[in-house]
Amino acid sequence: MFVSHTSELNSYPAERTYVRAATDAVRRADHHAVFMDDFPAVSARPALYCQEQVRSCQVYLAIIGFRYGSLVQEDPTGAEVPPWPDPPDPDPDPRPVSPGPPLPLPLPLPPQAEPARKPAPARKPAVPPISARVSYTELEYLTAVELDLPRLVFLLDEDTPIPRRLTDVDLTDVDAFRRRLSSTDLVVRTFRSADDLEAQITRALAGLAWFGKGEPAPLPDLLGDDPLPPGPATSARADIAERGRDTAGASSAVGASSAVGASAAAGVDGTAGINDAIDAGSVVGAGPPDGSGHGRRTRWRRRRSVLAAVIAAALVAGTAGAVLGAGIWRPATAQTCRAPTPLTRLVEAETWAGQQDGQCTGFSDGAYTFGTASPELVALLQTIGRQNAAAAGHSGLYTVVVAAPLTAMSAPSGSAEDSPTTSGQGGLNELRGAQLAQAAVNAAADAPGARSSIHIRLLVANVGWHSNGAETLARHIDTAARADPGLAGVLGLFQSTDSARRAVALLSGTTKVPIVSSTASDDVFTQPVGKPGQQHRPYDWYFRVGPTNRREAAVIAGAIPKIMAEQNRGGDPVRPLVVGGGGIGRDAQGNADYYSDNLARDVVSELRRLPHVTAPIVVSVPDPAQAASAAPGDGGPTVVGVLGHALSAQCAGRPAPNLLVYTGRTTNVNQLLVALAGSACGRSDPRMPIIAGDDAMELETDPGEIASGVLGGHALYFADFGLAQPGDLPASYLEQAREDRTVPDAWAAQLRGTPQRLISGHTIVAFDAMSVLARAISSAGLNTSQSSHQLRSDIQVRLSTICGDRALAGANGWISFDRYGDSPNAPVVLRLFHPAEGTVTTVDTGVPAMLRRPTSDTPNCTVL
């Protein structure tokens, strides 16, 4: 993707430039960005080389500010450059471009297989000829027009404050260029901030029907006219159906660089284009019987404007009121929850799709988007689909199921007072970590001299809001594992709910498939059970990379003296207020969430160990049903009212608390802040510092979880499991990891090449969970002649022996498991959230000590 811009946009704003925001969006969609800034010194004429770089790309993206840019000093063709006056304005009083809500751009025509492209249609407004005196920026645009590339254009809004030094002294040329862009048949959008630009580009890319160099895949007949005649494409699709949803012949031909994707709203559930984009030679690239593809291109062009309107409406409906990055809810029907043909060869059980509380759940190898309109989730599934298709032709292919909550029923807890996001950021971060690790593992296997030849296919399993569908999915994983001997493990199941507990119990006790969880901090998952001297593991096949609530609570308590001193409260005794989730995690199905209450108990226990700390005040957030039934005198019928009343009652008649520890879910933190501000606790200390649990890691990639202005004067700290921020990993650990060589360079490169903004602690922990599972699969020396039980048993044994001096160096520190499946040295750090910038900084909590190489005398390394 060619990204065109003038130089000032690569240095402004200082905290995050517009070009960096565009790069983040492009990489998020798994595209490669090409910039003129990156061009090496070449002997060719600069203009000619510039055009060659545009021709090497498949999409043109322009970010236009208030500089026209350096003028081209030579004609690319070698002719003398004549002066060229600005043409008459086609509209002397053009309608100003309104920023409006960000909408996806119209579906551009994907590039055709033939190298030559026809010139721009005559109906387009006049533009200067390439031989005229134009800037390099406009030359890039004209070259894209000549090639008929898909063009995405974003103009910096005219009302955006920007230093005068970053604009042209004479704005005549740049204003004329901006008018020419605005008067084309493109939909041009304006932006006012880096975050706004990233969001709009992300949505535009999600609406880009892009299938590599082949023809556009068949789309549903939304207009009801001109159905596609049966040709090679439809015949191939029929053949696939007759072979029982087997697409292996197509998927094996897709290379690592093949593009497989579709708009979130291309079909009823957003997957209609993806499942047809299997192979450019057999399905996507096929045209009418004469092989020209002309008939389909004609129909595609005719439908572009209507399809764009349909997609725009679907995306706006799905994203209204939501913050970028959330898993978006929309009503599901039996039609929307029917999975399409997968991209790779799957057993029938691995194609299951169903409903859970009005959400689409089930499995997806990248072809199924679970009825969501979230651009970020759709783009991530497209990336996984491409990776799966590229790996499908290799021997030594193993399937790992990623079970994560990716959708929501509506606003969390059913209250309009909840967070502006819905659900899914934790699930998205889990899925992104798995995707990065999959790419690294498969790249390492393809590298010359690779020590491992295994390839991983990800099977995404949506367990729904609050993991309500975890137990249902576990039963289907059990069925799939019996049918697919290559199903080697499960990643995820990281929420501490009743449903997740039952899912782990089934998969560990009945299915006997290795489960590696990233966080799942509820103590019960790895807490020894049984009489003293006869203790045993609660779940023999379960392993956790992240720390327990007990360790998190100890780090929170240990950091309190430093935080109090930092907040100029070092001389006062600590008077803690602990607010737990209480009934927040209980929905209509009674799926209790033990995370919050468990962490609250552990925090209270650790606080009692500290000197100069008074007895904690403990308050629980009521669930909506409790609040609705509460009397007005008790603050009913709202959650905020009941919580505010409880806080006032606890704080009355005693010294006011000067520290709040919140152990609930981030999706409910806005309720807490509003209730606190109106209570006696908050009024007595409106700048009381707050320490939140690890669920607030979502703020690293979704700062909009906290509504604008609601934090007030409170400083918000939160616990984090992932060393994802710059400077977290000391040089001493990096040197040890390099010597250990258990982290292939390709794996580390995946993280280095990912924008920091896209990496949360959850992502990097999930990355390590996926990588350690892949290494166990590789070291097991698996082959298809073994029984499925033997394959998984080998993996489980190797995971069980990763402890002490057998620990593996990961991206997040040393990975090891004690005899109960817990990580004895998982790091925990505290961050400080800065709401105005949407950024975090790290509070020193002794991370280097956690990153010392484990030794053979590490406790509890004996396998039970």
Side-chain angles (χ1 to χ4, degrees):
M1 176 175 295
F2 191 91
V3 180
S4 179
H5 66 89
T6 46
S7 60
E8 82 281 2
L9 301 183
N10 205 14
S11 60
Y12 184 83
E15 61 275 11
R16 186 176 183 233
T17 70
Y18 294 130
V19 172
R20 176 60 186 271
T23 303
D24 288 352
V26 170
R27 289 176 177 171
R28 184 196 298 271
D30 200 42
H31 294 293
H32 175 67
V34 175
F35 300 90
M36 190 172 179
D37 316 51
D38 300 330
F39 294 174
V42 293
S43 58
R45 293 172 179 267
L48 179 60
Y49 188 78
C50 175
Q51 287 186 290
E52 290 175 352
Q53 295 304 307
V54 176
R55 292 189 181 102
S56 71
C57 296
Q58 298 170 313
V59 179
Y60 168 89
L61 187 153
I63 315 166
I64 307 299
F66 303 112
R67 277 187 177 173
Y68 185 55
S70 302
L71 296 179
V72 176
Q73 299 301 313
E74 84 281 354
D75 183 351
T77 64
E80 181 180 355
V81 180
W84 181 79
D86 197 35
D89 191 339
D91 183 359
D93 185 21
R95 183 179 60 182
V97 180
S98 172
L103 299 177
L105 303 181
L107 288 173
L109 178 66
Q112 310 305 321
E114 60 270 14
R117 299 176 184 268
K118 66 181 184 178
R123 60 185 172 83
K124 293 183 179 179
V127 294
I130 290 181
S131 61
R133 193 67 177 269
V134 297
S135 68
Y136 283 97
T137 304
E138 187 159 9
L139 174 65
E140 292 159 2
Y141 171 71
L142 293 173
T143 305
V145 171
E146 179 187 13
L147 298 171
D148 200 18
L149 288 179
R151 299 181 298 283
L152 313 179
V153 178
F154 300 88
L155 305 180
L156 184 60
D157 188 83
E158 293 184 354
D159 294 330
T160 304
I162 186 170
R164 182 62 179 165
R165 60 185 171 80
L166 300 180
T167 68
D168 285 341
V169 175
D170 183 355
L171 297 174
T172 302
D173 288 341
V174 68
D175 283 346
F177 182 37
R178 288 167 62 97
R179 285 198 301 272
R180 287 193 291 273
L181 291 172
S182 301
S183 61
T184 64
D185 62 350
L186 303 175
V187 173
V188 178
R189 292 295 170 196
T190 62
F191 63 95
R192 292 179 175 174
S193 67
D195 288 346
D196 181 23
L197 176 62
E198 180 186 10
Q200 295 208 46
I201 293 176
T202 298
R203 289 186 172 93
L205 293 178
L208 194 67
W210 185 256
F211 302 103
K213 294 186 177 181
E215 294 291 319
L219 294 177
D221 190 13
L222 299 178
L223 304 184
D225 67 342
D226 195 15
L228 294 174
T234 51
S235 298
R237 183 62 182 273
D239 178 63
I240 291 173
E242 291 174 0
R243 286 185 282 125
R245 303 167 71 87
D246 177 9
T247 63
S251 61
S252 62
V254 180
S257 62
S258 299
V260 178
S263 161
V268 178
D269 77 335
T271 62
I274 299 177
N275 58 42
D276 286 322
I278 302 170
D279 177 66
S282 62
V283 177
V284 177
D290 63 0
S292 67
H294 175 72
R296 186 177 299 165
R297 285 196 294 272
T298 301
R299 286 189 297 276
W300 174 267
R301 290 180 183 276
R302 188 161 61 241
R303 296 180 184 182
R304 282 171 62 188
S305 60
V306 178
L307 285 172
V310 173
I311 290 169
L315 284 177
V316 171
T319 58
V323 176
L324 173 65
I328 308 301
W329 170 90
R330 79 178 185 192
T333 66
Q335 179 67 23
T336 63
C337 294
R338 184 178 303 132
T341 301
L343 299 173
T344 59
R345 183 192 296 271
L346 297 175
V347 299
E348 185 66 26
E350 292 171 339
T351 65
W352 176 81
Q355 286 195 55
Q356 183 79 29
D357 303 321
Q359 304 161 81
C360 293
T361 55
F363 298 116
S364 173
D365 68 346
Y368 186 36
T369 59
F370 306 109
T372 181
S374 164
E376 190 170 9
L377 177 56
V378 171
L380 191 52
L381 287 169
Q382 290 175 0
T383 301
I384 290 172
R386 286 195 294 274
Q387 293 179 179
N388 283 342
H394 293 82
S395 59
L397 179 66
Y398 301 96
T399 299
V400 172
V401 179
V402 184
L406 300 172
T407 57
M409 296 183 294
S410 60
S413 303
S415 170
E417 297 166 338
D418 285 321
S419 163
T421 58
T422 53
S423 172
Q425 190 64 39
L428 285 168
N429 288 332
E430 175 92 4
L431 193 56
R432 181 176 292 110
Q435 174 265 311
L436 289 170
Q438 178 200 21
V441 170
N442 293 351
D446 292 335
R451 292 183 292 175
S452 171
S453 61
I454 72 158
H455 287 77
I456 298 296
R457 170 176 57 192
L458 294 184
L459 189 62
V460 181
N462 177 30
V463 299
W465 163 244
H466 200 59
S467 293
N468 279 351
E471 186 179 12
T472 301
L473 259 297
R475 289 196 295 269
H476 286 277
I477 293 172
D478 179 75
T479 303
R482 298 174 192 277
D484 180 4
L487 199 160
V490 174
L491 182 75
L493 293 175
F494 61 84
Q495 290 189 318
S496 306
T497 65
D498 268 331
S499 182
R501 283 187 180 185
R502 291 191 293 266
V504 169
L506 171 65
L507 296 175
S508 178
T510 301
T511 312
K512 299 191 181 303
V513 59
I515 309 164
V516 181
S517 181
S518 54
T519 59
S521 53
D522 184 9
D523 295 338
V524 74
F525 284 95
T526 53
Q527 186 167 281
V529 295
K531 299 178 180 179
Q534 300 178 4
Q535 293 180 332
H536 58 88
R537 293 183 62 171
Y539 305 110
D540 289 342
W541 294 69
Y542 177 88
F543 302 86
R544 172 172 47 202
V545 172
T548 62
N549 275 341
R550 295 188 301 278
R551 172 136 356 104
E552 180 182 343
V555 171
I556 289 174
I560 284 176
K562 180 175 182 177
I563 290 175
M564 297 297 282
E566 189 176 86
Q567 297 296 320
N568 298 316
R569 298 164 182 262
D572 299 333
V574 179
R575 299 184 295 276
L577 167 65
V578 179
V579 179
I584 288 178
R586 295 171 174 84
D587 55 22
Q589 287 69 40
N591 185 26
D593 185 353
Y594 300 95
Y595 157 78
S596 179
D597 291 341
N598 179 213
L599 179 58
R601 288 194 301 270
D602 286 340
V603 166
V604 169
S605 177
E606 292 295 331
L607 287 173
R608 288 171 177 163
R609 300 173 186 269
L610 294 179
H612 311 298
V613 176
T614 63
I617 301 171
V618 182
V619 177
S620 292
V621 178
D623 65 30
Q626 291 173 328
S629 61
D634 295 327
T638 67
V639 170
V640 169
V642 173
L643 177 58
H645 180 271
L647 289 170
S648 292
Q650 288 292 329
C651 292
R654 67 174 74 185
N658 56 7
L659 174 71
L660 190 154
V661 181
Y662 175 63
T663 68
R665 295 290 180 184
T666 310
T667 47
N668 296 92
V669 73
N670 292 317
Q671 292 176 317
L672 167 67
L673 293 169
V674 173
L676 180 65
S679 71
C681 300
R683 289 193 299 270
S684 63
D685 191 349
R687 302 184 63 84
M688 183 192 313
I690 300 173
I691 306 177
D694 61 275
D695 197 67
M697 282 190 291
E698 294 186 10
L699 295 173
E700 292 172 305
T701 50
D702 190 4
E705 282 276 13
I706 296 183
S708 177
V710 74
L711 189 56
H714 301 284
L716 177 65
Y717 299 80
F718 64 90
D720 192 346
F721 294 166
L723 305 179
Q725 298 297 315
D728 281 351
L729 286 171
S732 58
Y733 172 76
L734 297 175
E735 186 63 29
Q736 292 176 13
R738 189 175 300 111
E739 293 174 357
D740 187 80
R741 297 195 60 79
T742 54
V743 180
D745 291 340
W747 296 11
Q750 290 295 323
L751 291 179
R752 288 196 300 269
T754 302
Q756 195 66 39
R757 182 180 175 80
L758 304 183
I759 296 185
S760 78
H762 200 147
T763 295
I764 202 167
V765 176
F767 180 95
D768 270 359
M770 179 71 247
S771 65
V772 73
L773 178 56
R775 277 185 268 185
I777 295 171
S778 177
S779 64
L782 306 183
N783 61 76
T784 55
S785 64
Q786 294 176 287
S787 68
S788 58
H789 175 71
Q790 186 60 50
L791 299 180
R792 296 169 196 136
S793 294
D794 288 349
I795 300 171
Q796 193 259 4
V797 168
R798 279 155 179 80
L799 289 171
S800 299
T801 58
I802 299 175
C803 190
D805 56 359
R806 293 176 176 266
L808 302 178
N812 197 50
W814 295 98
I815 307 171
S816 63
F817 307 107
D818 65 17
R819 68 177 69 186
Y820 303 105
D822 188 26
S823 174
N825 55 303
V828 180
V829 297
L830 259 66
R831 315 281 191 195
L832 174 62
F833 177 62
H834 305 280
E837 300 83 10
T839 59
V840 299
T841 54
T842 304
V843 177
D844 182 16
T845 54
V847 168
M850 302 176 186
L851 296 176
R852 297 193 185 102
R853 184 191 294 271
T855 62
S856 57
D857 60 355
T858 300
N860 289 325
C861 273
T862 304
V863 178
L864 292 177

